[in-house]
């Protein structure tokens, strides 16, 4: 009996090797984890990727999406990716400083005028090179997905930098963002995304910075009386994978997934502004938070207060890279 089984197995293996039968008919499982709600730009992007990948590769690929830090929170997800416990992530660009210092460029306050400039830089040669900058660490960047510009929130009104003095602000795990709040003489506190609501509610922090869609979906407007429309920085993502996993996929499957991801990225980036505007409207309608618009003079004061941060990170990021990013504020730059 044992002999027969062994013989059958050997025969199957030989046939399989010859490409005559598929050894394993089960689909390749791709676990895609993220920390935000499903109705945000990233949440929608992950679901669209699942839908299109499964439609184009029926029976061959199954994408499991885990939103809201339900599989891994932002403190653990990169480690999990390197261990192969999750296959795709889309962390905020503020969360890569331990893997590639140059990616800190996206945290520099008041660097990009708007998301169109971010897009021009990312699609240009320097932005594309950053996608590959972590391969020696086993991480491959596949695409950039936009969320939007960051706004400040607080339990007191913030019109000018001096209003932030002494307040505690939640920041993502980023040295640049830490320094940005120190430049205001405020106290930054690193905290994972899943802890933000509670941190604000209990007063562990007095304020934070994020996009309208992240505020609305985390119900930050329930626990913050004021939001300042500052557009002082951005939340943007790199869709990443485990290099070994991705390169180990059968070529036809990887090629199709790359094509799907390119289409999904266009769609995510097209919809991001609209989703943020919808969220801003929801916050306005909730009536719990006052949204403070800034005059050009007030905004210039925030810019002057935060800009010295650039100099501190110039060596780590590279002066040339910062210059290229500034150039992307001009329409007509390569990659636009
Ligand atoms: C944050 O931690 O504020 C953001 O990175 C969350 C996200 O992924 O949009």
């Amino acid at each position: 009996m044992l002999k027969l089984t062994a013989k059958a197995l050997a025969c199957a293996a030989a046939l399989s090797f010859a490409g005559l039968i598929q050894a394993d008919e089960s689909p390749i499982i791709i676990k895609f984890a993220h920390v935000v709600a499903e109705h945000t730009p990233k949440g929608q992007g992950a679901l669209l990727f699942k839908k299109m990948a499964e439609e184009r590769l029926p029976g061959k690929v199954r994408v499991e999406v885990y939103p809201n830090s339900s599989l891994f929170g932002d403190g653990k997800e990169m480690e999990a990716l390197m261990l192969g416990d999750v296959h795709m992530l889309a962390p905020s660009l503020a969360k890569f400083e331990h893997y590639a210092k140059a990616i800190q460029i996206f945290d520099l306050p008041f660097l990009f005028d708007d998301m169109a400039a971010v897009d021009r830089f990312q699609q240009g040669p320097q932005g594309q090179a950053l996608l590959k900058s972590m391969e020696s660490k086993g991480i491959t960047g596949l695409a950039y997905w936009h969320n939007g510009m960051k706004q400040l929130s607080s339990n007191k009104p913030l019109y000018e930098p001096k209003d932030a003095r002494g307040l505690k602000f939640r920041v993502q795990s980023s040295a640049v963002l830490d320094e940005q709040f120190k430049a205001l003489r405020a106290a930054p506190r690193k905290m994972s995304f899943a802890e933000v609501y509670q941190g604000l509610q209990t007063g562990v922090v007095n304020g934070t910075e994020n996009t309208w869609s992240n505020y609305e979906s985390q119900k930050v407007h329930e626990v913050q009386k004021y939001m300042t429309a500052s557009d002082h920085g951005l939340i943007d993502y790199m869709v990443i994978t485990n290099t070994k996993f991705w390169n180990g996929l059968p070529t036809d499957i990887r090629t199709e997934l790359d094509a799907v991801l390119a289409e999904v990225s266009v769609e995510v980036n097209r919809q991001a502004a609209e989703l943020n505007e919808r969220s801003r409207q929801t916050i306005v309608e909730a009536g719990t938070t006052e949204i403070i618009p800034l005059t050009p003079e007030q905004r210039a004061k925030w810019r002057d207060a935060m800009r010295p941060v650039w100099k501190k990170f110039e060596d780590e990021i590279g002066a040339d890279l910062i210059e290229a990013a500034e150039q992307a504020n001009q329409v007509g730059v390569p990659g636009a």
Side-chain angles (χ1 to χ4, degrees):
M1 177 70 186
L2 204 77
K3 241 184 178 173
L4 257 180
T5 309
K7 205 170 175 186
L9 279 173
C11 182
L15 285 168
S16 165
F17 188 70
L20 295 173
I21 62 165
Q22 206 176 319
D24 185 356
E25 297 284 345
S26 52
I28 295 166
I29 308 284
I30 301 180
K31 293 186 183 186
F32 188 155
H34 64 84
V35 301
V36 294
E38 289 191 326
H39 67 287
T40 60
K42 178 162 61 179
Q44 290 289 295
L47 291 176
L48 185 60
F49 176 73
K50 171 184 170 63
K51 180 172 177 286
M52 287 178 59
E54 291 179 354
E55 271 170 17
R56 302 261 183 97
L57 294 161
K60 292 188 175 167
V61 160
R62 200 170 80 221
V63 181
E64 295 175 359
V65 179
Y66 298 90
N68 289 313
S69 308
S70 56
L71 188 62
F72 297 105
D74 45 15
K76 285 271 183 291
E77 63 182 10
M78 297 285 273
E79 204 183 314
L81 184 85
M82 307 228 283
L83 290 171
D85 293 337
V86 63
H87 310 103
M88 287 176 78
L89 302 170
S92 149
L93 294 170
K95 295 174 184 169
F96 289 99
E97 66 184 21
H98 299 303
Y99 305 92
K101 293 284 184 214
I103 298 177
Q104 295 180 113
I105 191 165
F106 294 103
D107 283 345
L108 295 181
F110 291 97
L111 174 57
F112 295 102
D113 291 346
D114 50 30
M115 296 310 289
V118 176
D119 213 56
R120 286 192 285 273
F121 175 70
Q122 290 177 340
Q123 300 314 317
Q126 292 91 348
Q128 292 298 298
L130 289 177
L131 291 174
K132 307 270 169 253
S133 63
M134 298 179 285
E135 292 203 330
S136 61
K137 308 223 162 57
I139 298 170
T140 294
L142 298 169
Y144 291 107
W145 284 359
H146 301 331
N147 186 329
M149 301 300 278
K150 284 186 295 192
Q151 322 299 335
L152 291 163
S153 83
S154 173
N155 53 11
K156 60 172 275 202
L158 302 177
Y159 297 99
E160 295 188 4
K162 66 175 166 45
D163 301 328
R165 207 171 286 169
L167 297 182
K168 289 173 279 180
F169 284 89
R170 177 268 171 172
V171 289
Q172 301 175 75
S173 176
S174 150
V176 176
L177 300 179
D178 227 56
E179 288 298 327
Q180 173 192 280
F181 282 102
K182 284 184 184 158
L184 303 174
R185 291 205 256 155
R189 296 266 185 283
K190 288 186 183 150
M191 204 179 260
S192 72
F193 187 64
E195 292 170 338
V196 171
Y197 179 88
Q198 215 191 351
L200 290 165
Q201 191 187 35
T202 56
V204 170
V205 283
N206 314 113
T208 186
E209 54 168 8
N210 226 310
T211 57
W212 300 118
S213 60
N214 277 349
Y215 281 151
E216 181 270 319
S217 57
Q218 296 302 308
K219 303 192 188 310
V220 168
H221 53 291
E222 290 180 359
V223 289
Q224 292 277 265
K225 285 213 167 66
Y226 301 95
M227 291 180 183
T228 297
S230 50
D231 285 345
H232 63 282
L234 58 117
I235 297 266
D236 209 89
Y237 308 111
M238 193 187 286
V239 182
I240 55 172
T241 187
N242 179 311
T243 307
K244 226 183 205 164
F245 168 77
W246 202 254
N247 291 343
L249 290 171
T251 310
D252 55 334
I253 290 184
R254 190 176 58 244
T255 306
E256 193 58 45
L257 290 175
D258 281 333
V260 165
L261 198 56
E263 282 181 50
V264 171
S265 302
V266 169
E267 193 52 25
V268 171
N269 295 346
R270 201 183 59 77
Q271 281 188 14
E274 195 183 311
L275 288 179
N276 274 297
E277 177 48 27
R278 215 178 290 165
S279 291
R280 196 189 67 86
Q281 205 51 43
T282 305
I283 293 171
V284 169
E285 281 159 20
T288 48
T289 304
E290 184 187 334
I291 297 182
I292 299 173
L294 293 179
T295 65
E297 293 75 27
Q298 287 168 333
R299 193 158 182 271
K301 286 186 183 173
W302 288 97
R303 186 186 165 91
D304 291 348
M306 290 178 170
R307 268 286 296 259
V309 171
W310 290 24
K311 200 81 206 143
K312 293 200 168 155
F313 292 90
E314 195 181 273
D315 287 349
E316 284 184 6
I317 294 171
D320 289 358
L321 199 62
I322 296 176
E323 203 184 310
E326 281 192 282
Q327 294 264 323
N329 287 320
Q330 316 296 323
V331 183
V333 149

